[in-house]
Amino acid sequence: MKYKLIACLLSASVTGLTTVSAQAATTLRFAHFFPAASAVHQDLYQAWAKSVEEASGGELRVELYPSGTLAKAESIYEATASGIADVGSTVQGYTAGRFPLSQIVELPGVAPTAEVGACVLQTLYDEGLLDEEYGDTRPLFMFTTGPGFLHTKETLVETPEDLQGLRVRRPTALVGDMLTDMGAIPVGMPAPDIYTAMQRGVIDGVSLPWEGVNTFRLNELTTQHTQVPFYSLGLIVTMNKRAYKRLGPEQQAVINDHSGMAWAENAGEVFGRLDREGKEKAVEAGHTIREIDNPLENADWQQPLEKGIEQYLSKLEGRGLPGREVYEAALDARDACITEEK
């Protein structure tokens, strides 16, 4: 009897240790598509993971899967919704038509910088204007890249007419439609595929922020840069709902504390800094840079960009979506975010 009691106590002790260990070892698989060597991986996603681990006292651990190793860029959101990943970060526009209201931040003039763009997109979500687009996951925070520009191997694009016949990688269908209207031939592909495509001559140029040019090593291939801010890309960090529900209350509190505007702003600051660094490298390399800072007020660029805005909002109206309402809310948020930044 004595030995049975000891055995039971030992068993209970081991079971207790196993429960604590399991809780302490709760691991979240975090998928994204940026390279492991990139500053976005290190300064944003690793920083988030480290902060979560520290705030949870080691009860939460985050395994990062960069470079599309757990799911390809265009599949990360679905992989997160289905549970292949516990947390995922991707560009909403990579899944065509799924996040039409969120993609309003892509329109010209909505997000003049990464810092402002992050504030705008997170504000739209916080105000409940995007809720219906994310019913299958638990969004943690949203942000944007800085403005996307045009970067080519040989042709310096000074007006939309210079895009005629150029094969230009476009990040999303919305951006592709604007490029088509300006005479370019848009080619869709995720950012990690661009370098090889350009190296092989599949494309003549790309539409990317300065951060992306540097992150994906395109300063090695492009020497002609047109700094015309005609779009920005929205991104999200979101969590599988079941993975969140499996966490204990204290662990959930940690995730809640690592969500919302504070982390959106952190992301905006990272992308803003990387934009500045990316441009500096192009300048140091002696590349040609043509700057068109206010294209919606520029005689050459105004008409095609305003046409692109109107076409997209009309398309949303055709789907019965409140596109103009969200667009106006985005412009109001932009103005408020710029004021706060000052």
Side-chain angles (χ1 to χ4, degrees), residues 54-84:
E54 290 178 350
S56 69
E59 290 187 4
L60 284 175
R61 297 176 186 171
V62 182
E63 284 184 356
L64 289 162
Y65 292 83
S67 304
T69 49
L70 188 60
K72 297 299 183 184
E74 64 273 23
S75 303
I76 287 175
Y77 186 87
E78 183 57 40
T80 306
S82 65
I84 294 171

Side-chain angles (χ1 to χ4, degrees), residues 159-182:
T159 69
E161 286 72 25
D162 295 326
L163 285 165
Q164 193 69 38
L166 289 184
R167 297 162 299 172
V168 180
R169 176 266 179 180
R170 56 83 172 165
T172 69
L174 190 164
V175 178
D177 288 344
M178 287 193 287
L179 287 169
T180 297
D181 286 341
M182 291 187 282

Side-chain angles (χ1 to χ4, degrees), residues 94-115:
Y94 281 178
T95 310
R98 187 164 184 170
F99 307 101
L101 296 176
S102 298
Q103 283 191 258
I104 281 174
V105 297
E106 294 183 23
L107 295 174
V110 173
T113 65
E115 292 90 343

Side-chain angles (χ1 to χ4, degrees), residues 6-305:
I6 292 172
C8 288
L9 290 171
L10 286 172
S11 175
S13 177
V14 170
T15 301
L17 285 172
T18 302
T19 302
V20 173
S21 297
Q23 187 180 33
T26 298
T27 299
L28 301 176
R29 296 160 298 172
F30 188 148
H32 70 84
F33 63 87
F34 286 88
S38 69
V40 174
H41 172 77
Q42 295 168 5
D43 297 348
L44 178 56
Y45 300 129
Q46 276 189 343
W48 185 86
K50 182 179 179 182
S51 184
V52 165
E53 292 178 5
E54 290 178 350
S56 69
E59 290 187 4
L60 284 175
R61 297 176 186 171
V62 182
E63 284 184 356
L64 289 162
Y65 292 83
S67 304
T69 49
L70 188 60
K72 297 299 183 184
E74 64 273 23
S75 303
I76 287 175
Y77 186 87
E78 183 57 40
T80 306
S82 65
I84 294 171
D86 300 306
V87 181
S89 182
T90 191
V91 172
Q92 287 98 318
Y94 281 178
T95 310
R98 187 164 184 170
F99 307 101
L101 296 176
S102 298
Q103 283 191 258
I104 281 174
V105 297
E106 294 183 23
L107 295 174
V110 173
T113 65
E115 292 90 343
V116 171
C119 178
V120 169
L121 185 53
Q122 186 65 44
T123 297
L124 294 179
Y125 179 73
D126 289 346
E127 291 180 350
L129 296 172
L130 310 177
D131 284 353
E132 292 185 10
E133 297 187 345
Y134 301 99
D136 49 358
T137 67
R138 181 184 178 85
L140 302 184
F141 57 97
M142 302 183 193
F143 51 101
T144 73
T145 65
F149 305 129
L150 295 165
H151 313 272
T152 56
K153 294 171 70 174
E154 298 173 359
T155 304
L156 177 63
V157 177
E158 299 199 62
T159 69
E161 286 72 25
D162 295 326
L163 285 165
Q164 193 69 38
L166 289 184
R167 297 162 299 172
V168 180
R169 176 266 179 180
R170 56 83 172 165
T172 69
L174 190 164
V175 178
D177 288 344
M178 287 193 287
L179 287 169
T180 297
D181 286 341
M182 291 187 282
I185 302 170
V187 181
M189 67 182 70
D193 299 338
I194 298 173
Y195 189 94
T196 301
M198 182 166 281
Q199 200 174 39
R200 292 177 178 174
V202 175
I203 54 177
D204 304 302
V206 300
S207 53
L208 273 178
W210 283 114
E211 166 274 320
V213 172
N214 191 36
T215 294
F216 298 100
R217 299 168 44 216
L218 298 175
N219 267 331
E220 299 175 10
L221 303 176
T222 60
T223 61
Q224 309 296 307
H225 309 276
T226 306
Q227 187 170 295
V228 53
F230 74 103
Y231 77 95
S232 292
L233 281 188
L235 294 97
I236 184 172
V237 173
T238 195
M239 188 169 184
N240 176 270
K241 284 187 169 182
R242 295 183 301 278
Y244 179 81
K245 288 179 181 178
R246 286 195 296 266
L247 301 179
E250 292 182 357
Q251 293 174 328
Q252 289 182 349
V254 170
I255 296 299
N256 296 344
D257 288 343
H258 287 76
S259 304
M261 186 61 79
W263 274 92
E265 290 175 347
N266 287 346
E269 289 173 5
V270 168
F271 275 84
R273 171 173 58 82
L274 295 179
D275 274 343
R276 292 186 288 274
E277 292 176 359
K279 182 178 181 180
E280 286 170 6
K281 290 191 176 182
V283 171
E284 290 169 2
H287 294 180
T288 302
I289 301 174
R290 170 82 165 91
E291 297 190 17
I292 303 166
D293 291 331
N294 298 299
L296 288 172
E297 299 175 6
N298 182 282
D300 293 320
W301 294 90
Q302 181 180 25
Q303 189 276 331
L305 295 187

